[in-house]
Amino acid sequence: MDTIISDLGLVINATLIAMPPLLYAALGSCFSERSGVINIGIEGMMTIGAFVGVVVAYFTGNPWFSFLCGGLAGAVFGLLHAVACVSFGADQTISGTAINFLAPGLAIFLCKAMFDGSSDSPSIDTASKLPRLLDGVFPVGSFWNNVLNTYSAAYLAFVAVLVVWFVFYKTRFGMRLRAAGEHPEACATLGINVFRIRYICVILSGFLSGLGGAYVTLATVSQFRPAIIVGQGFIAIAAVIFGKFSPHGAMLACLLFGLCTGLRTIASQGNWISPNLISMIPYVVTVITLVLFVGHARVPAANGKPFEKSK
Amino acid sequence: MKKKCLSLLLAGAMVLSMASVGMTASAEEDTIRVGMVTDVGGVNDGSFNQSSWEGLQRAMDELGIEADYLESATDADYATNIETFIDEEYDLIICVGYMLADATRAAAEDYPEQKFAIIDDSTCSDLDNVTCLMFEQAQASYLVGYVAGLTTESNTVGFVLGMSTDTMNQFGYGYLAGVLDANPEATILQQNANSFSDTATGKSMATAEITGGADIIFHAAGATGLGVIEACTENGIWAIGVDTDQSSIAPETILTSAMKRVDNACYDISKQCLEGTLEGGVVTYDLASAGVDIAPTTDNLSEDVLEAVNEVKEQIVNGDITVPSTQEDFEAAYGDIYELD
């Protein structure tokens, strides 16, 4: 019984480590996709957020301010994506791909310029990291320590899901943004400014992705490295599609990915199963769930199509 | 039209962001010129590339050789960077890391007169003009294992591996042997993250070992190990670093590190090239040749432990202690207790 409880604690702990960056980025992706703009550039926006977050923390020592700055750095690239795709009607996949090259390139360039040519940032001390509210309350290695003593921004990600869900389904802005992603012409006919809505949504998607990236360098680890964001952005995009483009669906998808990471940790104890099979767990579980329970995800009708007023 | 202009602009930005950094050197007759090609980490990666370049800088100061480096931004740059040094008639080209093995082999076969050295790879050892610089990582791991065995209070230590290959498992054999020789009662928790870049998995695996009672964790897992170190910091236990002196990442958490002295290897090979004694084949750097060692930062080690480790170090150099580096040797001495191979 003790082993089961302790293993359960580890699975929850692993989920809380792996999931928050994905969840922030997935919420960002929801905004962009639902308003009708494909955002492949999540990965790049996360990387710049990760870099800016840790650098600001290194110089100011203020974790929440740094977290916010990481988000704002992502928002700047969101703005770039919005200018390209909304104002100029550029191909959204190309613009997003360009951001995935540009943002990490810029982060590494700035890192080398700031820290004597080193592509790794110096690591920040514990006080500059996002706080853990219940640090030292429970004994090390206990169930409650593993479950409750993680970074507060991890729990905040779940609050963010609630907020985004409320915005999407209970506010006028939410209804308009969903409409802009389904039938922008009809929106425009009714006097809604589709450009403005898409701008706000794409910038918000950059902001939330930036927060996801900043979480990695301000909580998961404590320094920036060139390969600090490897694929999380794309997993977040997959989670949004998996969750049928809704914030709560994306959360469940992220939860599944997180749980699988936890199962990997448990399953690899004692090395009874081949590590390569264990590494496959998240992907196998995803495919099975997708086929058996989720079914067809309906893409917002106007997703990826630039809106032109004159049409 | 607007769309086309923008696509062009963005495509341009992509090209720019991938451009590599190049440097050139001046020629001089009575000395040798050594060129170093980095892997994608770049010359200031705080790890192998950086320490290789430091070795060459020391060789420039002390031996009066000339040296230069070319950074590789992508895998595709290896061959072109090697080609650049060949065109400029460098005497020795050092390729940093096993990722350059294919490019090195191709160039060495095309230019049999050109001398090469490659770090951490022995697949090119059949070529006369390539020197493979290998490291006895089991010995360094044995030393940190010995430290862990003496330092642990819970009699439980942890190990997180990046990938189960013959080379990587040498870290495990050495570590387990060291822990058990120092502390036969100790339990060693073992996890294989099966990745060198998955920090989240590293962190949760370390948390699992901490939950299992470990109070010291050694990682041989590259960037995955950053997560291990982080988990140790959060839970207030010791972590042991790998490859370089990782103390700067978390000065309060890193007990010691199992180091590969790539800088010494680069210095040596340059010296041999200068003196004309350079030979092909595999050169293995061990404790005796100062090719591997524990980290110079010893602030967190107690006097007794430090003294004991220095004694053990001497015994390894003398040959009184043989550190197992293969599965057969390890199991013959300690039984089948290493789970990850």
Side-chain angles (χ1 to χ4, degrees):
Chain A
M1 191 63 201
D2 281 354
T3 346
I4 295 174
I5 290 180
S6 141
D7 281 357
L8 182 70
L10 287 175
V11 170
I12 296 174
N13 180 273
T15 309
L16 288 173
I17 290 170
M19 190 185 166
L22 299 180
L23 192 49
Y24 280 113
L27 290 177
S29 175
C30 275
F31 268 109
S32 184
E33 306 281 332
R34 283 307 281 266
S35 76
V37 180
I38 295 172
N39 188 354
I40 296 281
I42 300 276
E43 178 99 351
M45 296 169 185
M46 285 180 83
T47 310
I48 197 77
F51 171 71
V52 171
V54 81
V55 165
V56 175
Y58 179 72
F59 287 113
T60 66
N62 185 330
W64 288 111
F65 176 68
S66 314
F67 192 50
L68 193 71
C69 286
L72 291 176
V76 170
F77 278 87
L79 177 65
L80 201 68
H81 190 54
V83 170
C85 299
V86 181
S87 294
F88 294 106
D91 188 290
Q92 299 171 2
T93 309
I94 292 179
S95 167
T97 309
I99 285 174
N100 280 340
F101 282 107
L102 192 62
L106 182 69
I108 294 168
F109 172 76
L110 288 177
C111 192
K112 289 190 169 190
M114 290 167 95
F115 303 111
D116 298 327
S118 172
S119 54
D120 299 355
S121 81
S123 49
I124 54 173
D125 53 25
T126 317
S128 310
K129 294 186 70 181
L130 289 166
R132 288 178 298 149
L133 296 177
L134 298 172
D135 193 19
V137 175
F138 305 104
V140 165
S142 66
F143 173 81
W144 291 113
N145 195 51
N146 284 344
V147 173
L148 294 177
N149 185 21
T150 191
Y151 292 91
S152 39
Y155 307 108
L156 195 67
F158 292 92
V159 179
V161 174
L162 210 68
V163 173
V164 173
W165 177 85
F166 185 82
V167 169
F168 266 44
Y169 300 105
K170 301 287 167 197
T171 66
R172 188 189 295 177
F173 174 74
M175 197 184 70
R176 287 179 174 178
L177 89 84
R178 284 181 290 135
E182 296 293 343
H183 206 307
E185 290 81 11
C187 281
T189 319
L190 294 170
I192 297 169
N193 189 338
V194 175
F195 288 120
R196 206 184 63 168
I197 287 186
R198 287 190 171 178
Y199 255 92
I200 293 173
C201 287
V202 175
I203 291 171
L204 268 177
S205 90
F207 179 75
L208 286 163
S209 307
L211 289 185
Y215 183 90
V216 174
T217 49
L218 291 170
T220 314
V221 294
S222 43
Q223 68 173 157
F224 174 81
R225 290 195 163 205
I228 200 80
I229 305 289
V230 273
Q232 287 100 319
F234 293 104
I235 294 177
I237 295 173
V240 170
I241 300 170
F242 190 40
K244 296 188 171 178
F245 297 91
S246 72
H248 46 287
M251 180 188 75
L252 290 176
C254 290
L255 205 58
L256 189 72
F257 278 120
L259 278 174
C260 291
T261 317
L263 288 179
R264 272 181 67 182
T265 310
I266 302 293
S268 69
Q269 280 173 346
N271 207 42
W272 306 118
I273 314 165
S274 155
N276 293 324
L277 287 178
I278 293 171
S279 297
M280 281 162 59
I281 291 177
Y283 312 102
V284 172
V285 171
T286 303
V287 170
I288 292 173
T289 324
L290 200 57
V291 172
L292 291 184
F293 304 109
V294 178
H296 186 66
R298 209 189 67 81
V299 182
N303 201 11
K305 296 186 190 115
F307 173 65
E308 286 162 40
K309 250 183 194 163
S310 52
K311 224 163 70 176
Chain B
M1 188 58 209
K2 264 184 188 169
K3 206 191 248 180
K4 266 188 188 158
C5 284
L6 198 77
S7 319
L8 250 168
L9 194 77
L10 291 170
M14 273 160 65
V15 171
L16 274 179
S17 72
M18 290 193 290
S20 68
V21 185
M23 291 185 70
T24 47
S26 58
E28 212 173 283
E29 280 310 309
D30 53 347
T31 181
I32 60 155
R33 296 200 299 159
V34 180
M36 178 186 119
V37 181
T38 77
D39 69 12
V40 290
V43 78
N44 283 304
D45 63 348
S47 185
F48 269 23
N49 294 302
Q50 187 166 349
S51 100
S52 303
W53 181 236
E54 281 165 7
L56 287 181
Q57 283 174 310
R58 188 155 66 85
M60 282 196 275
D61 287 347
E62 293 177 13
L63 306 173
I65 65 155
E66 285 189 27
D68 215 329
Y69 65 84
L70 286 172
E71 289 186 300
S72 308
T74 69
D75 291 345
D77 293 341
Y78 302 149
T80 46
N81 282 342
I82 291 173
E83 201 76 25
T84 307
F85 279 133
I86 293 173
D87 289 346
E88 293 182 10
E89 296 180 342
Y90 273 66
D91 299 277
L92 172 67
I93 299 172
I94 300 178
C95 303
V96 184
Y98 67 89
M99 296 211 293
L100 281 81
D102 292 343
T104 308
R105 166 169 287 278
E109 282 170 351
D110 290 348
Y111 300 92
E113 296 301 309
Q114 172 72 49
K115 288 191 172 67
F116 292 91
I118 181 162
I119 289 167
D120 251 355
D121 173 83
S122 60
T123 61
C124 298
S125 58
D126 56 312
L127 300 167
D128 291 337
N129 55 335
V130 184
T131 312
C132 303
L133 309 175
M134 299 293 284
F135 296 86
E136 198 65 66
Q137 44 250 23
Q139 291 183 343
S141 309
Y142 183 90
L143 293 179
V144 298
Y146 206 83
V147 170
L150 292 179
T151 312
T152 178
E153 283 166 14
S154 62
N155 270 347
T156 310
V157 298
F159 176 55
V160 176
L161 181 71
M163 210 158 273
S164 182
T165 64
D166 288 346
T167 316
M168 292 309 294
N169 281 331
Q170 290 179 0
F171 285 102
Y173 298 132
Y175 179 67
L176 263 67
V179 172
L180 292 172
D181 279 0
N183 186 347
E185 306 291 306
T187 312
I188 302 144
L189 304 174
Q190 303 157 43
Q191 293 261 19
N192 179 0
N194 207 31
S195 160
F196 287 109
S197 58
D198 190 346
T199 44
T201 298
K203 203 171 177 180
S204 46
M205 287 191 163
T207 309
E209 293 183 346
I210 294 166
T211 304
D215 62 354
I216 300 171
I217 300 178
F218 173 45
H219 84 87
T224 301
L226 287 181
V228 174
I229 295 171
E230 208 62 42
C232 293
T233 307
E234 285 173 17
N235 289 289
I237 70 155
W238 297 116
I240 298 176
V242 79
D243 290 345
T244 54
D245 188 349
Q246 293 197 304
S247 164
S248 65
I249 296 176
E252 318 257 287
T253 302
I254 301 289
L255 182 62
T256 180
S257 303
M259 277 182 78
K260 294 193 196 178
R261 298 300 303 264
V262 190
D263 53 337
N264 290 349
C266 285
Y267 178 88
D268 278 2
I269 201 88
S270 309
K271 193 173 176 190
Q272 287 171 14
C273 186
L274 181 68
E275 291 164 353
T277 56
L278 185 64
E279 282 173 18
V282 178
V283 181
T284 304
Y285 286 86
D286 58 7
L287 206 51
S289 58
V292 297
D293 207 341
I294 63 166
T297 309
T298 54
D299 299 347
N300 291 330
L301 297 179
S302 73
E303 292 272 321
D304 297 348
V305 170
L306 200 57
E307 207 170 293
V309 167
N310 282 330
E311 246 167 63
V312 167
K313 213 193 270 186
E314 234 163 73
Q315 285 173 304
I316 295 175
V317 174
N318 292 340
D320 294 342
I321 295 178
T322 315
V323 178
S325 62
T326 62
Q327 189 173 1
E328 295 85 59
D329 289 354
F330 180 81
E331 286 179 6
Y334 300 88
D336 187 12
I337 51 164
Y338 182 68
E339 297 164 353
L340 307 179
D341 52 10

